[in-house]
Amino acid sequence: MLVRNATSCLRSENDYPKQSVSGNTALFDSVQLTGAVMPFGRGAEIYGEGEPSEYVYKVISGSVRIYKILNDGRRQIAAFHLPGDVFGLETDETHAFSAEAISQSTILVVARSAVTNLAAKDVAVARQLWSLTALELHKMQDHVLLLIKSARERVASFLVHMAARMPEASEIDLPMSRQDIADYLGLTIETVSRMLTQLETNAAIALPSSRHIVVRNPGQLDRLNS
Amino acid sequence: MLVRNATSCLRSENDYPKQSVSGNTALFDSVQLTGAVMPFGRGAEIYGEGEPSEYVYKVISGSVRIYKILNDGRRQIAAFHLPGDVFGLETDETHAFSAEAISQSTILVVARSAVTNLAAKDVAVARQLWSLTALELHKMQDHVLLLIKSARERVASFLVHMAARMPEASEIDLPMSRQDIADYLGLTIETVSRMLTQLETNAAIALPSSRHIVVRNPGQLDRLNS
DNA sequence: CGACCATTTGATATGGATCAAGCGATGTGG
DNA sequence: CCACATCGCTTGATCCATATCAAATGGTCG
């Protein structure tokens, strides 16, 4: 059984190799928090929609998708998280979306109560929690603006944003499938694929392999990103 | 000159009738804050994208649209705010969107510094600011889910949400034009109009006038809203 | 090598955009 | 008080971008 969720993982202490780490990363610049670093396999559920939001997460390595399944069975991916990103932070008592590891990932898991207790004593921490939610809000606003664009523009925007998150901005290594991209952009896999080959034909990008994209003409992508 | 923005209004103390009010409304349940109640005419700008976020706002009466103009000239409306709603709260130093009064409105305007100073001393206030941003985030997540639906579903969802915000849920008084609705839903005015007449034909709603909608069959709308 | 899955490519269908005209309400000037 | 201009909305005809259906290709793993 590959699929597990964070809660069960935390409860069964011996299932995974763990280590205690100081969480003074981008999440809490000036704060010491300890959490567990946990591995999640490809496709493993980290938390599910509607589950109590007991933990806050940070990607150490790998990648995560945040999504919701709609009544008609379609899946909308709200966000992709890459190393360094914090996710799963809620003011609500339950998670509004589900989270899954896209590729083999290691995730830093911190008890939400530890974070909020700290925030109750330290205004700087409280302010950082607020800022993290505000950052999520800005990303979601960008996503709304993306979803009203044409298919070509959506794919170009996606590549620009992914490129900006890569160590080398001209080399994009996609952890996610075409289906994931399609569900994020509100398109079908066929349309995503066609737009990518179109961009390749226009020499904006090169596609050495389906998961590896080389940005050849950033200006052209930016123009489409607008 | 009808169009003014909040900043200029606040600076010219004598332009408007004002009154000091205690702001212990939904915004800050347990807090006393004073602000100015200001009138804004139809279409008046409250703040502009990129302007410093010096104030926080609350709709007392009337209605407000939050929007952005894209490079290609199109307008995306991110939110409508009705009486009781707080808007314009940012962790950033500048506003990411613009805000305009849709109809003649009165808005409670509070200095952001007053709010954040209070939050620095009172964790309950800090927590409320965080919750307000989280609420905005949830609305924006809903908007993303809306934008991947069909035109019929988008219009139905819009009506369901508007109905829930009205004093009488079966009687919707729309403060905004078809163009506003279209720019909110990522559709054209023609499509919005057609979907409304379609819903009228199906007896889901009645349209005594273009700005007044009676919900006849909530179940049908809910089914489309899904 | 062969099975399987992800991706690309091709052919056709369709929902919503676009272009265009008509209609109803509101307001203005004669 | 009516004629007429204006504006917001609706309705109709056509077009086009993207979805859908279908098949071919390629890459990975046993």
Side-chain angles (χ1 to χ4, degrees):
Chain A
M1 187 192 75
L2 275 175
V3 177
R4 299 164 183 277
N5 69 38
T7 309
S8 66
C9 285
L10 282 174
R11 280 179 187 148
S12 49
E13 293 281 330
N14 300 318
D15 281 3
Y16 291 107
K18 281 190 194 174
Q19 59 185 109
S20 204
V21 300
S22 74
N24 65 337
T25 51
L27 171 53
F28 309 117
D29 288 342
S30 54
V31 179
Q32 296 294 315
L33 276 176
T34 54
V37 172
M38 294 175 39
F40 288 89
R42 216 172 95 95
E45 181 178 74
I46 299 167
Y47 56 78
E49 182 186 340
E51 287 182 5
S53 42
E54 297 176 38
Y55 303 97
V56 182
Y57 307 83
K58 178 170 176 162
V59 183
I60 303 301
S61 71
S63 48
V64 172
R65 59 179 165 246
I66 307 297
Y67 69 95
K68 200 171 236 181
I69 304 291
L70 309 179
N71 320 26
D72 59 8
R74 278 188 311 158
R75 179 184 66 162
Q76 176 62 29
I77 293 182
F80 294 117
H81 291 299
L82 300 182
D85 293 346
V86 173
F87 66 97
L89 176 63
E90 309 264 357
T91 56
D92 250 330
E93 291 307 311
T94 59
H95 288 293
F97 288 77
S98 301
E100 272 178 7
I102 294 173
S103 45
Q104 172 66 40
S105 304
T106 55
I107 309 289
L108 172 63
V109 182
V110 179
R112 188 174 78 123
S113 58
V115 177
T116 51
N117 287 344
L118 209 53
K121 283 178 283 185
D122 184 341
V123 288
V125 172
R127 166 74 203 200
Q128 281 177 64
L129 293 182
W130 182 23
S131 291
L132 276 170
T133 298
L135 181 65
E136 282 301 299
L137 173 58
H138 287 145
K139 285 188 191 171
M140 211 52 72
Q141 287 168 340
D142 283 345
H143 204 168
V144 165
L145 297 177
L146 186 145
L147 289 176
I148 63 166
K149 297 188 197 176
S150 71
R152 186 178 302 105
E153 290 171 323
R154 290 187 215 186
V155 172
S157 296
F158 173 73
L159 292 179
V160 168
H161 285 124
M162 284 303 292
R165 298 166 79 181
M166 293 291 143
E168 185 59 60
S170 63
E171 299 274 325
I172 307 175
D173 267 302
L174 296 174
M176 72 289 282
S177 69
R178 293 288 185 272
Q179 188 64 62
D180 286 335
I181 299 173
D183 290 350
Y184 179 71
L185 298 179
L187 300 170
T188 59
I189 46 172
E190 292 95 330
T191 299
V192 170
S193 183
R194 276 185 245 274
M195 295 304 130
L196 285 172
T197 52
Q198 211 175 89
L199 288 171
E200 191 185 25
T201 308
N202 300 348
I205 61 170
L207 280 160
S209 83
S210 70
R211 299 290 184 100
H212 185 217
I213 296 179
V214 179
V215 179
R216 290 222 168 290
N217 189 341
Q220 192 181 338
L221 288 184
D222 276 330
R223 225 167 306 124
L224 285 168
N225 178 227
S226 69
Chain B
M1 188 194 74
L2 275 175
V3 178
R4 299 164 183 276
N5 68 37
T7 309
S8 67
C9 285
L10 282 175
R11 283 183 186 145
S12 49
E13 293 282 329
N14 301 318
D15 281 2
Y16 291 106
K18 281 192 194 171
Q19 61 186 107
S20 204
V21 300
S22 75
N24 67 336
T25 51
L27 170 52
F28 309 118
D29 287 340
S30 55
V31 180
Q32 295 293 316
L33 275 176
T34 53
V37 172
M38 294 174 39
F40 288 89
R42 216 172 95 94
E45 180 178 75
I46 299 168
Y47 55 78
E49 182 187 338
E51 286 182 7
S53 43
E54 297 176 38
Y55 303 97
V56 181
Y57 306 84
K58 178 170 176 162
V59 183
I60 303 302
S61 71
S63 48
V64 171
R65 60 180 164 246
I66 306 299
Y67 69 96
K68 203 172 234 182
I69 304 292
L70 309 179
N71 320 26
D72 59 8
R74 277 188 311 160
R75 179 184 66 162
Q76 175 62 29
I77 293 182
F80 294 116
H81 291 299
L82 300 182
D85 293 346
V86 173
F87 66 98
L89 176 63
E90 308 265 357
T91 56
D92 248 331
E93 290 308 311
T94 58
H95 288 293
F97 287 78
S98 302
E100 273 178 5
I102 294 174
S103 46
Q104 173 67 40
S105 304
T106 54
I107 310 289
L108 172 62
V109 183
V110 178
R112 188 174 79 123
S113 57
V115 177
T116 52
N117 287 344
L118 209 55
K121 283 178 283 186
D122 185 341
V123 290
V125 173
R127 167 74 204 200
Q128 281 177 63
L129 293 181
W130 182 23
S131 291
L132 277 171
T133 299
L135 181 64
E136 283 300 300
L137 173 58
H138 287 145
K139 285 189 191 170
M140 210 53 69
Q141 287 168 340
D142 283 345
H143 204 167
V144 165
L145 297 177
L146 186 148
L147 289 176
I148 64 165
K149 296 189 196 175
S150 71
R152 185 176 304 104
E153 291 171 323
R154 291 187 214 187
V155 171
S157 296
F158 173 73
L159 292 179
V160 169
H161 286 124
M162 284 302 293
R165 298 166 79 182
M166 293 290 143
E168 185 58 60
S170 63
E171 298 273 327
I172 307 175
D173 268 303
L174 296 175
M176 73 289 284
S177 69
R178 294 288 185 272
Q179 187 64 62
D180 286 335
I181 299 172
D183 289 350
Y184 179 71
L185 299 179
L187 300 170
T188 59
I189 46 173
E190 292 95 331
T191 299
V192 171
S193 183
R194 275 185 246 272
M195 294 306 129
L196 285 173
T197 52
Q198 213 174 89
L199 288 170
E200 192 185 25
T201 307
N202 299 349
I205 61 170
L207 279 159
S209 83
S210 69
R211 300 290 185 100
H212 185 218
I213 297 178
V214 179
V215 179
R216 291 223 169 289
N217 188 341
Q220 193 180 339
L221 288 184
D222 276 330
R223 226 167 307 123
L224 285 168
N225 176 230
S226 69

